Amino acid sequence: MNAASPLLPFHQARHAFRLGTSSPREYLERCLHTIEAREPVVRAFAHLDVDGARRAADAATQRWREGCPVSWIDGMPVGVKDIIETADLPTGFGSPAFAGWRGGRDAAAVLALRQAGAVVVGKAVSTEFADVSPGPTTNPHDARRTPGGSSSGSAAMVAAGMVPVALGSQVGGSILRPASYCGVFGFKPSFGALNRGGLGDQFSQNCLGTLSATLEDAWAVCHEIARRVGGDPGWPPFAGGLRPAPPARPRALAVLETGAWARAEPAARVALDGLLEQLRGQGVKLWDRRTSRRVERLEAAIEDASRRSLAINDYEKRWPLGEIADRIGPVLSPGLRAGVARGRQMSAQRYVALLQGRDAARDALAALAGEVDACLTLSATGPAPRGLGSTGDSGFNVPASYLRCPALSLPLLQADGLPLGLQILGQPGQERALSSVARWLVGKGAGGR
Amino acid sequence: MNAASPLLPFHQARHAFRLGTSSPREYLERCLHTIEAREPVVRAFAHLDVDGARRAADAATQRWREGCPVSWIDGMPVGVKDIIETADLPTGFGSPAFAGWRGGRDAAAVLALRQAGAVVVGKAVSTEFADVSPGPTTNPHDARRTPGGSSSGSAAMVAAGMVPVALGSQVGGSILRPASYCGVFGFKPSFGALNRGGLGDQFSQNCLGTLSATLEDAWAVCHEIARRVGGDPGWPPFAGGLRPAPPARPRALAVLETGAWARAEPAARVALDGLLEQLRGQGVKLWDRRTSRRVERLEAAIEDASRRSLAINDYEKRWPLGEIADRIGPVLSPGLRAGVARGRQMSAQRYVALLQGRDAARDALAALAGEVDACLTLSATGPAPRGLGSTGDSGFNVPASYLRCPALSLPLLQADGLPLGLQILGQPGQERALSSVARWLVGKGAGGR
């Protein structure tokens, strides 16, 4: 099987729209062709809206023809994770309890995308309530392997070339890990940077973000969302710009082990080591826990991030998951019900202590601001594991959620002939600086060339 | 007309439940009797559920009889502001666009109240989406006067003796002002202290809180909510205790003018002056902007709070109000649509600058922590104004929202023979300390006795 995307990046296709040599409808038809060919195996869509997408693409085509597209992403086909509400399509939250459910409204991000002329192709499969129980989606690189989760469908539909961008969300590792497994860009912005209104879960680490075939298309989507509906109330909206910043060689990077290092597979370590060797050769100063006290302080602060995040998330399952559990409990998976029960056992004192620990970890990241241009680590312990019963190990992804900082998974590494993401983490609100490092890493062909 | 509540405080009634000399059903029937007598004029209810309330009260009665109530508020009749979702009752958001709308789920606070055995008597009239366009509710002290807003029905139903406590919410002055006009206790906790899940608006200053006939009943309700569903994700839950702290004479208080002082009516100033004179006589040190540089710094920081709050709120109207405006615009009031339009014109830079200004104001409040035990001011410019077309001036109430601090309106003053609230503001998270000051002020019969 082959996941190589035949899809032209949207930011390149738009030039042809302007010239009149192609159109959003033509672009959509290529997407639909790929969907028709690959969806029976990939199973990325919880709901597909061919007619609605064609209508929206035709309207965009008309605007481009008249020389007045409403935005840079006018006519862009997008997938929307199925825990994000859509007025015209059902939202199932990855749960049989909500099969066919319609809230009758657009989530904030969907409202923004529609205002910007984007074409909602359908809803992307999510794990159950963006937790761990997987849906039917397979990895486009190998259908026997998981695409990762919880943004399973979003990552897979981009990797298969069905859409250039899909919306995802991450509480633990739900954007960065599927991006790594599927070989696409995963972008988890700073906490609060994209308005989560109408997103099914509202955990205190949760972020809306993107899975995409290019950094440029992801940036344009985030820019249009923030511009039109802002970030979460009380938080600075995404300010990364319409286009990522020009590439620039980082002066110094912090190489993080995180609490997951001991579980990193040999092939993944080898892939990362090869990249680090290249970076050193290009004059990038690399700090790690052995050479920098500040990095060691951050490592110590995130060592236990997975366990602490899970506890914070459990406490926050009191609502809406607790309400759903009380009302229609047996339809929920035993794992999710157990999480609700654990959360209800936790004292407020313990929860507040966990929040304070998380704040302290963020201080440790902030202390690195003058020292390094970004932090760097693996996006996963290895390539996508075999089997569809588990969405994999989120150990390398949780720190970015816990630190509430922006992070990118770049599809630059390989292990065992399968994709593996390189993860970079920036300072909160500094998406623009992070994009500069990302583009340099991408442009230099990290990973071998 | 007379608003004097014939209703026994619930925290006193529960002793009779324990002894078996009364029951929650009997307590409810007294409420229903009052509702029947006064609702035709007061019009506090958007929806009344007599049958459901009786069923719930009977169940609570049974639990008390068996000696195993599920909480201190088991059997307490409560009203729920009609922008808070209820699974079994419609939620109308004060808008004809949502008349009869049912979301099919309980908001977090309602879930908690039901778990605690409380009896939801009905939904309380709100202004349109908790903004300024009033509903039909009248002031129980004088039906020609506004009850205030946006928690109009919540304040009026408590003042009329229909329920001991009702849930309200405040973005600007929507708990404290109606409490002042209706002569009841209004409690706006620290930002994030009570879980807002399922509340129709999610502004960055918005808080869930209570209108109540006694401080004790309000505290028990907030305690049970926080204990069962926590606060907003990422925020410390209400930690004021099941009961307010023992009364204690404050060492020192800051007397605030706020930006509204110039609009305070003569009778209101006289009422406050009388109280301040008493406090001085009792050895309470009073600081104000002329005698304390720190108080002056806070005054300067909140001088313009109303305008700045409105701008922040307008920006945040992009969702869900913006989505509703796009979908069913003409059903919204012109004022609300204008707010959405203003918000969409505002730049992210301006919004972020406003957030930074708000943070700075909070720093100015924090700087007073060692100097005073609480801040004190009027809850309104005067008694409830005549007419039902406007819900009154929120100038004295906005600072507590803007500062995201806990605040209480205590029904201790009078002006022109009508109720007027005395407002006290505490430090964020210090509800317990604030309750101690409140009980001392209430216990000493401030305002004349």
Side-chain angles (χ1 to χ4, degrees):
Chain A
M1 268 167 280
N2 175 16
S5 162
L7 193 62
L8 191 68
F10 192 82
H11 71 278
Q12 292 173 6
R14 59 190 295 286
H15 298 301
F17 303 165
R18 189 179 296 280
L19 296 170
T21 57
S22 182
S23 71
R25 174 62 189 265
E26 216 176 292
Y27 191 93
L28 173 67
E29 291 301 328
R30 278 197 295 271
C31 293
L32 295 177
H33 182 78
T34 306
I35 291 169
E36 197 180 352
R38 305 206 54 188
E39 177 63 6
V41 171
V42 175
R43 305 180 72 183
F45 282 91
H47 192 91
L48 181 63
D49 183 25
V50 174
D51 292 344
R54 281 185 170 136
R55 276 195 305 274
D58 285 344
T61 295
Q62 191 60 33
R63 290 190 293 268
W64 279 99
R65 280 201 187 129
E66 290 165 2
C68 49
V70 290
S71 82
W72 272 52
I73 63 168
D74 197 352
M76 180 192 276
V78 294
V80 175
K81 186 176 179 181
D82 202 27
I83 59 161
I84 302 170
E85 289 187 47
T86 40
D88 54 351
L89 301 176
T91 304
F93 303 98
S95 166
F98 281 80
W101 182 83
R102 286 167 186 270
R105 66 179 182 178
D106 276 333
V110 174
L111 173 71
L113 289 177
R114 289 197 211 273
Q115 285 177 352
V119 173
V120 177
V121 179
K123 304 300 283 283
V125 167
S126 166
T127 58
E128 182 197 29
F129 292 108
D131 200 54
V132 299
S133 297
T137 310
T138 64
N139 192 308
H141 295 267
D142 180 347
R144 296 161 302 181
R145 294 175 190 266
T146 177
S150 66
S151 305
S152 321
S154 303
M157 63 176 61
V158 171
M162 298 170 174
V163 288
V165 180
L167 294 183
S169 66
Q170 168 162 330
V171 182
S174 290
I175 289 174
L176 299 171
R177 190 167 77 268
S180 180
Y181 289 170
C182 292
V184 301
F185 287 87
F187 176 40
K188 186 210 86 68
S190 306
F191 179 78
L194 297 179
N195 194 320
R196 281 180 300 165
L199 181 66
D201 52 16
Q202 297 282 328
F203 294 97
S204 66
Q205 292 184 183
N206 193 12
C207 247
L208 201 68
T210 56
L211 288 298
S212 67
T214 64
L215 197 56
E216 287 78 4
D217 286 352
W219 240 240
V221 162
C222 291
H223 176 80
E224 291 298 337
I225 292 173
R227 189 184 144 205
R228 291 161 195 275
V229 293
D232 289 332
W235 294 88
F238 171 81
L242 174 58
R243 285 176 284 195
R249 183 176 65 84
R251 195 176 41 82
L253 298 170
V255 182
L256 298 182
E257 293 188 346
T258 81
W261 190 249
R263 301 194 301 278
E265 297 168 19
R269 294 183 184 211
V270 166
L272 181 63
D273 283 345
L275 174 80
L276 297 180
E277 202 47 54
Q278 283 182 51
L279 292 176
R280 276 191 207 96
Q282 287 168 296
V284 179
K285 177 71 192 167
L286 300 179
W287 296 105
D288 64 27
R289 66 189 312 168
R290 280 162 292 274
T291 56
S292 160
R293 278 174 54 188
R294 288 203 175 109
V295 174
E296 169 55 30
R297 194 180 141 218
L298 177 58
E299 290 277 19
I302 61 174
E303 182 82 42
D304 206 18
S306 287
R307 196 180 58 84
R308 287 167 169 267
S309 285
L310 184 61
I312 289 171
N313 298 338
D314 279 344
Y315 185 88
E316 295 169 358
K317 285 178 182 144
R318 289 160 183 246
W319 196 92
L321 289 173
E323 197 269 347
I324 295 167
D326 286 357
R327 191 154 39 87
I328 46 174
V331 192
L332 302 188
S333 70
L336 204 52
R337 277 183 281 155
V340 169
R342 279 195 309 271
R344 285 177 168 169
Q345 289 301 315
M346 195 188 303
S347 72
Q349 288 74 12
R350 168 92 182 115
Y351 176 65
V352 171
L354 285 164
L355 295 181
Q356 287 164 346
R358 194 171 65 178
D359 285 344
R362 275 179 240 156
D363 293 343
L365 174 66
L368 274 174
E371 192 159 334
V372 301
D373 296 303
C375 298
L376 181 147
T377 190
L378 290 168
S379 296
T381 54
R386 290 210 183 194
L388 302 176
S390 159
T391 60
D393 185 331
S394 64
F396 278 106
N397 319 123
V398 167
S401 297
Y402 189 69
L403 295 166
R404 286 177 158 186
C405 70
L408 279 160
S409 179
L410 310 174
L412 298 180
L413 304 177
Q414 286 209 330
D416 305 329
L418 286 162
L420 177 66
L422 175 70
Q423 183 183 176
I424 55 174
L425 302 85
Q427 294 290 340
Q430 302 301 311
E431 272 85 352
R432 195 143 182 81
L434 190 66
S435 71
S436 179
V437 175
R439 284 188 68 194
W440 182 80
L441 287 165
V442 171
K444 73 170 216 58
R449 264 169 290 170
Chain B
M1 265 168 282
N2 176 15
S5 164
L7 194 61
L8 192 67
F10 192 83
H11 71 278
Q12 292 173 8
R14 59 189 295 286
H15 298 300
F17 303 164
R18 188 179 296 280
L19 296 171
T21 55
S22 182
S23 73
R25 175 63 190 264
E26 215 175 294
Y27 191 93
L28 173 68
E29 291 301 328
R30 277 196 297 269
C31 294
L32 294 176
H33 181 78
T34 306
I35 291 168
E36 197 179 353
R38 304 206 55 188
E39 177 63 7
V41 171
V42 175
R43 303 180 71 184
F45 282 91
H47 193 92
L48 181 63
D49 183 24
V50 174
D51 291 344
R54 281 184 170 137
R55 276 195 304 274
D58 285 344
T61 296
Q62 192 59 33
R63 290 190 293 269
W64 280 98
R65 278 200 189 128
E66 290 165 2
C68 49
V70 289
S71 81
W72 272 53
I73 63 169
D74 197 352
M76 178 192 276
V78 293
V80 175
K81 187 176 179 181
D82 201 28
I83 59 161
I84 302 169
E85 290 187 47
T86 39
D88 55 350
L89 300 176
T91 304
F93 302 99
S95 166
F98 281 81
W101 182 82
R102 285 167 186 269
R105 65 178 184 180
D106 275 334
V110 175
L111 174 71
L113 289 178
R114 290 198 210 271
Q115 286 176 353
V119 173
V120 177
V121 178
K123 304 300 282 281
V125 168
S126 166
T127 59
E128 181 197 30
F129 291 108
D131 199 54
V132 298
S133 296
T137 310
T138 63
N139 191 308
H141 295 266
D142 179 349
R144 295 162 303 179
R145 295 175 189 264
T146 177
S150 64
S151 306
S152 322
S154 304
M157 64 177 60
V158 171
M162 298 170 174
V163 288
V165 181
L167 294 183
S169 66
Q170 168 161 329
V171 182
S174 290
I175 290 174
L176 299 172
R177 189 166 78 270
S180 180
Y181 288 171
C182 292
V184 301
F185 287 87
F187 176 41
K188 186 210 87 65
S190 305
F191 179 79
L194 297 179
N195 195 320
R196 280 180 301 164
L199 181 66
D201 52 14
Q202 296 283 326
F203 295 97
S204 66
Q205 291 183 181
N206 192 12
C207 248
L208 200 68
T210 54
L211 288 299
S212 65
T214 63
L215 196 57
E216 287 78 3
D217 286 353
W219 240 240
V221 162
C222 291
H223 176 81
E224 291 298 338
I225 292 173
R227 189 185 144 205
R228 290 162 196 273
V229 293
D232 288 332
W235 294 88
F238 171 81
L242 173 59
R243 285 176 282 195
R249 183 176 65 84
R251 194 177 40 84
L253 298 170
V255 182
L256 298 182
E257 292 189 344
T258 82
W261 189 249
R263 300 194 300 277
E265 297 167 20
R269 293 183 185 211
V270 167
L272 181 63
D273 282 345
L275 175 78
L276 296 181
E277 202 47 53
Q278 284 183 49
L279 292 177
R280 276 190 208 95
Q282 288 169 294
V284 179
K285 177 72 191 166
L286 300 180
W287 297 103
D288 63 30
R289 64 190 313 167
R290 282 163 289 274
T291 55
S292 159
R293 279 173 54 189
R294 289 205 176 107
V295 173
E296 170 55 28
R297 194 179 141 217
L298 177 58
E299 290 276 20
I302 62 173
E303 182 82 41
D304 205 18
S306 287
R307 197 180 57 83
R308 287 168 169 267
S309 283
L310 184 61
I312 289 171
N313 297 338
D314 279 346
Y315 184 88
E316 295 169 359
K317 284 178 182 145
R318 289 160 181 244
W319 198 90
L321 289 173
E323 197 268 346
I324 295 167
D326 286 357
R327 190 153 41 85
I328 46 172
V331 192
L332 302 188
S333 70
L336 202 53
R337 277 183 281 156
V340 170
R342 279 195 309 270
R344 285 176 169 170
Q345 290 300 316
M346 194 188 303
S347 72
Q349 288 74 13
R350 168 92 181 114
Y351 175 65
V352 171
L354 286 164
L355 295 182
Q356 287 164 348
R358 194 172 65 180
D359 285 344
R362 274 178 240 156
D363 293 343
L365 175 65
L368 274 174
E371 193 158 334
V372 301
D373 296 304
C375 298
L376 179 148
T377 190
L378 290 169
S379 295
T381 54
R386 288 208 184 194
L388 302 177
S390 159
T391 60
D393 185 331
S394 64
F396 278 106
N397 318 124
V398 168
S401 296
Y402 189 69
L403 295 165
R404 287 177 158 184
C405 69
L408 278 161
S409 179
L410 310 175
L412 298 182
L413 304 178
Q414 286 207 330
D416 305 330
L418 286 163
L420 177 66
L422 175 71
Q423 184 183 176
I424 55 173
L425 301 85
Q427 294 290 340
Q430 302 302 311
E431 272 85 351
R432 193 141 185 84
L434 190 66
S435 70
S436 178
V437 175
R439 286 188 67 194
W440 182 79
L441 287 165
V442 171
K444 72 172 215 58
R449 266 170 288 170

